[in-house]
Amino acid sequence: MTEFELIEKYFKREQPRCRFPADMGVGDDCALMSVPPGMQLATSCDTLVSGVHFEHGASAVDVASKAMCTNLSDLAAAGALPAWASVALTLPRPSRSWVRQFSNRLFALADAVQVQIIGGDTTRGPLAVTVQIFGMVEEGMSHTRGGAKVGDRIFVTGTLGGAALALRQMKRGDSPDSECLRRLRTPIPRLGIGRAIQGLATSCIDVSDGLNQDLTHILRRSGVGATVKLDAIPLPAASKKLGMTGLDLALYGGDDYELCFTAPESAAAKIAEIPAIMGQITCIGVVEEELGLRGASARKEIANLSNRGYQHFSSTEDVQL
Amino acid sequence: MTEFELIEKYFKREQPRCRFPADMGVGDDCALMSVPPGMQLATSCDTLVSGVHFEHGASAVDVASKAMCTNLSDLAAAGALPAWASVALTLPRPSRSWVRQFSNRLFALADAVQVQIIGGDTTRGPLAVTVQIFGMVEEGMSHTRGGAKVGDRIFVTGTLGGAALALRQMKRGDSPDSECLRRLRTPIPRLGIGRAIQGLATSCIDVSDGLNQDLTHILRRSGVGATVKLDAIPLPAASKKLGMTGLDLALYGGDDYELCFTAPESAAAKIAEIPAIMGQITCIGVVEEELGLRGASARKEIANLSNRGYQHFSSTEDVQL
């Protein structure tokens, strides 16, 4: 199977329900697209490498799911409407059944969010996928990492730490929690919430490297600090049983692809009205003038965190994360 | 060195001479860009894998050069002005000196064509680079593969087969021709010619897989055929000495990244006026109604091609390529 046959057979498809049909899609030197007046183009890319971002031997379906969903999550963080995707696939050898399963899943997910696959590349080499995702956002309405203000509330969507828990269970040879495994393999891009908080959120990021690191990106870029109520961080059911480990996975684990955003207290009522079907939204803290990220907890077992090997935060109420 | 440090240190740079400054570049979940009214966005991506698209142990400079130039070539074929690039780099381990050399070359080439690096991704894994290139083209003015008309002349830029010759020489352990090696490592994206033939060319493609295959893409998409004057195909000096092998490399070799385009005979005078500094342009054939690609030659040694192992074309004047 040549690259040309592979593209013709598996990557050129009718997609009648695209939100922003391209002027020219797959099959020429370039794809051509028009951006409607008043809209900015939002774009991002993520590479997933076999053995690094997914297990060697992962199914084609899981690879396609993760590649699309992690990229869509970046659009969610920007508050953008998904429009197009370009897919660069590197395969050790062109297996028809692998490519068929990969492309079927890719197009199923793309169709579900009205995204058009506009092009890409297929090459031979160690298994890896790079998706470049394109979205559209009203001029000046995108969330960035740099807008958090002192007094803003800090919110997160869904639950944190589940993907890291599933990964940890598998690495230990344990049977992973099924809900956490599903989240590890197919993160839920919070596209609806990303749009719903437009005009309300002052900053937003997707949590891919653990809450500690990603919230710190917001704080540094915004020139502010924060205190997080550690007890308020929403954990998946399987993590709640684990005590401190569950909190640890939420703070320092990765791959959750939930949103973390800030908004003024005056927006809290409107945020509470966002339909729960889009995902749970939890207030976990407040933005402060004092730089740095602090954790606060009423729970005794967190009082001695510094003694338990947590280098980044220490005692009870106003401790350095 | 973390991914974050690596991006901050090597991939966030001032680029004061960008043609279309992004509204937000490297460092957030998405880059944000505006497309001027009346322009279409043209985009393409190519992945280069170590050991497949460049030699294992290739220098960081060569990898950056090839990644940028092959992608810019796709914009040239579309007649687009280069605007932005997103760079997904997968590295076995983060070597500061490798990344410094790679990023220095990347930005030097980007600055040379007024392209802004707007984002990307850095991951750990087998060495590979995916560049997504973005350009701008006036609405409806892009060249595609599908517009060749019966009677059109067929043109190519530069010379063909040089990159394949250098590769062949190296594979045999011979010292490669220096000019051909330079072309293999740093193809010349024909951006100026791509723009100059706007409104003149009826179709265009960049020649990355050999003239035979790439011209066939144009012919099939356009629903036409062609005869190519094999003696007119421009060859590099080092290929001319090789007789049939030089022609073979031009027809079936790859990696030239020259443009092949069609234009009506009435445009020939204007095409001849395109300054030679942009690259030589040679008329090599004519588009015909009869489907298929035929080769014609006055040279006796081509008369018996079919007996020499050339499966795709055979005898003198009107033979099937």
Side-chain angles (χ1 to χ4, degrees):
Chain A
M1 184 166 48
T2 67
E3 178 185 5
F4 188 69
E5 289 163 351
L6 189 147
I7 291 169
E8 285 289 318
K9 190 164 169 67
Y10 297 111
F11 292 98
K12 273 180 95 165
R13 301 194 186 185
E14 290 294 315
Q15 293 188 265
R17 294 182 59 240
C18 301
R19 190 178 280 114
F20 298 96
D23 304 318
M24 181 155 50
V26 174
D28 221 291
D29 287 286
C30 288
L32 295 175
M33 298 101 88
S34 296
V35 175
M39 300 294 258
Q40 285 172 301
L41 184 71
T43 188
S44 180
C45 74
D46 275 314
T47 297
L48 305 183
V49 178
S50 179
V52 181
H53 303 90
F54 53 86
E55 317 101 89
H56 286 302
S59 75
V61 168
D62 286 342
V63 176
S65 297
K66 190 137 194 181
M68 278 298 282
C69 293
T70 56
N71 276 282
L72 286 167
S73 179
D74 284 316
L75 290 186
L81 284 166
W84 309 300
S86 167
V87 181
L89 177 61
T90 303
L91 277 176
R93 60 205 134 58
S95 146
R96 278 175 199 274
S97 71
W98 200 97
V99 174
R100 187 180 59 246
Q101 290 171 51
F102 177 87
S103 62
N104 282 348
R105 179 67 166 186
L106 182 78
F107 278 91
L109 287 166
D111 288 340
V113 290
Q114 294 172 261
V115 158
Q116 184 176 2
I117 307 296
I118 49 134
D121 192 23
T122 56
T123 55
R124 194 168 291 211
L127 181 60
V129 188
T130 300
V131 169
Q132 183 91 28
I133 198 86
F134 302 79
M136 223 72 84
V137 61
E138 295 78 2
E139 267 174 23
M141 295 299 285
S142 180
H143 319 119
T144 71
R145 298 176 180 179
K149 301 275 182 296
V150 173
D152 279 355
R153 281 1 188 197
I154 301 166
F155 299 85
V156 294
T157 63
T159 60
L160 298 179
L165 175 58
L167 194 61
R168 176 190 161 106
Q169 288 169 328
M170 284 193 291
K171 279 187 178 164
R172 292 182 165 194
D174 298 338
S175 173
D177 177 78
S178 62
E179 171 60 15
C180 291
L181 181 62
R182 198 184 59 72
R183 294 296 303 277
L184 175 67
R185 293 194 168 156
T186 308
I188 302 170
R190 298 294 185 183
L191 292 161
I193 294 178
R195 296 289 296 170
I197 61 175
Q198 251 197 6
L200 303 175
T202 51
S203 72
C204 187
I205 194 169
D206 74 329
V207 183
S208 55
D209 295 318
L211 180 65
N212 178 61
Q213 184 169 322
D214 289 316
L215 178 52
T216 295
H217 286 313
I218 284 185
L219 301 179
R220 286 199 180 143
R221 196 70 64 82
S222 304
V224 293
T227 294
V228 165
K229 293 175 282 180
L230 298 172
D231 307 341
I233 295 174
L235 305 179
S239 278
K240 283 182 188 162
K241 308 170 195 163
L242 302 178
M244 280 309 305
T245 301
L247 182 59
D248 187 18
L249 292 168
L251 288 169
Y252 304 108
D255 278 353
D256 287 316
Y257 298 97
E258 295 292 349
L259 298 184
C260 175
F261 63 95
T262 59
E265 201 181 356
S266 60
K270 283 197 176 164
I271 289 168
E273 286 169 14
I274 294 172
I277 186 92
M278 289 187 184
Q280 149 196 345
I281 299 176
T282 310
C283 179
I284 60 162
V286 63
V287 176
E288 297 164 338
E289 196 168 347
E290 188 190 342
L291 299 184
L293 179 52
R294 291 161 291 280
S297 173
R299 290 155 67 195
K300 275 189 186 166
E301 68 269 32
I302 302 180
N304 295 311
L305 282 177
S306 58
N307 303 330
R308 299 230 216 143
Y310 283 80
Q311 293 177 4
H312 299 290
F313 59 111
S314 46
S315 72
T316 52
E317 277 297 319
D318 273 326
V319 288
Q320 201 75 23
L321 263 196
Chain B
M1 184 164 51
T2 67
E3 179 186 4
F4 188 67
E5 289 164 352
L6 189 147
I7 291 169
E8 284 289 319
K9 189 165 170 67
Y10 296 112
F11 291 99
K12 273 180 95 165
R13 300 195 186 184
E14 290 294 315
Q15 292 188 266
R17 293 183 60 240
C18 301
R19 191 178 280 114
F20 299 96
D23 304 319
M24 180 156 51
V26 174
D28 222 291
D29 287 286
C30 288
L32 293 175
M33 299 100 86
S34 295
V35 175
M39 302 294 257
Q40 285 172 301
L41 184 71
T43 189
S44 179
C45 74
D46 274 314
T47 298
L48 305 183
V49 178
S50 180
V52 180
H53 302 91
F54 53 86
E55 316 101 89
H56 286 305
S59 74
V61 167
D62 286 342
V63 176
S65 297
K66 190 138 193 179
M68 277 298 282
C69 292
T70 56
N71 276 282
L72 286 167
S73 179
D74 284 315
L75 290 187
L81 284 166
W84 309 299
S86 167
V87 181
L89 176 61
T90 302
L91 278 176
R93 59 205 134 60
S95 146
R96 277 175 200 277
S97 71
W98 199 98
V99 174
R100 188 180 59 244
Q101 289 171 53
F102 177 88
S103 62
N104 282 347
R105 180 66 167 186
L106 182 78
F107 278 91
L109 287 167
D111 288 340
V113 291
Q114 296 172 259
V115 157
Q116 184 176 2
I117 308 296
I118 49 133
D121 192 22
T122 57
T123 55
R124 195 168 290 212
L127 181 59
V129 187
T130 300
V131 169
Q132 182 91 28
I133 197 87
F134 302 79
M136 223 72 84
V137 61
E138 295 78 2
E139 267 172 23
M141 295 299 284
S142 180
H143 319 120
T144 71
R145 300 176 179 178
K149 300 275 181 297
V150 173
D152 279 355
R153 279 7 187 191
I154 301 166
F155 299 85
V156 293
T157 63
T159 60
L160 298 179
L165 175 58
L167 194 62
R168 175 190 163 108
Q169 289 168 328
M170 284 193 292
K171 278 186 178 164
R172 292 181 166 196
D174 297 340
S175 174
D177 178 77
S178 62
E179 171 60 14
C180 291
L181 181 63
R182 199 183 58 73
R183 294 296 303 278
L184 175 67
R185 292 193 168 157
T186 308
I188 302 170
R190 298 295 186 184
L191 291 161
I193 294 178
R195 296 288 297 169
I197 60 175
Q198 251 196 4
L200 303 174
T202 51
S203 72
C204 188
I205 193 170
D206 73 330
V207 183
S208 54
D209 295 318
L211 181 64
N212 178 61
Q213 183 169 323
D214 288 316
L215 179 52
T216 295
H217 285 313
I218 284 184
L219 300 179
R220 287 200 181 143
R221 195 71 64 82
S222 304
V224 294
T227 293
V228 165
K229 292 175 282 181
L230 299 172
D231 308 341
I233 294 174
L235 305 179
S239 280
K240 284 183 187 162
K241 309 169 194 163
L242 302 177
M244 281 309 304
T245 301
L247 183 59
D248 187 17
L249 293 168
L251 289 169
Y252 304 107
D255 277 353
D256 287 316
Y257 298 97
E258 296 291 351
L259 299 184
C260 175
F261 62 94
T262 59
E265 201 181 356
S266 59
K270 284 196 176 165
I271 289 168
E273 285 168 16
I274 294 172
I277 186 93
M278 290 186 182
Q280 149 196 343
I281 299 175
T282 310
C283 179
I284 60 163
V286 63
V287 176
E288 296 164 339
E289 196 168 346
E290 188 189 343
L291 299 185
L293 180 53
R294 291 161 291 280
S297 173
R299 290 154 68 195
K300 276 189 185 166
E301 68 269 32
I302 302 181
N304 295 311
L305 281 177
S306 59
N307 302 331
R308 299 230 216 144
Y310 283 82
Q311 293 177 3
H312 298 288
F313 58 113
S314 47
S315 72
T316 52
E317 278 297 318
D318 273 327
V319 287
Q320 201 74 22
L321 263 195

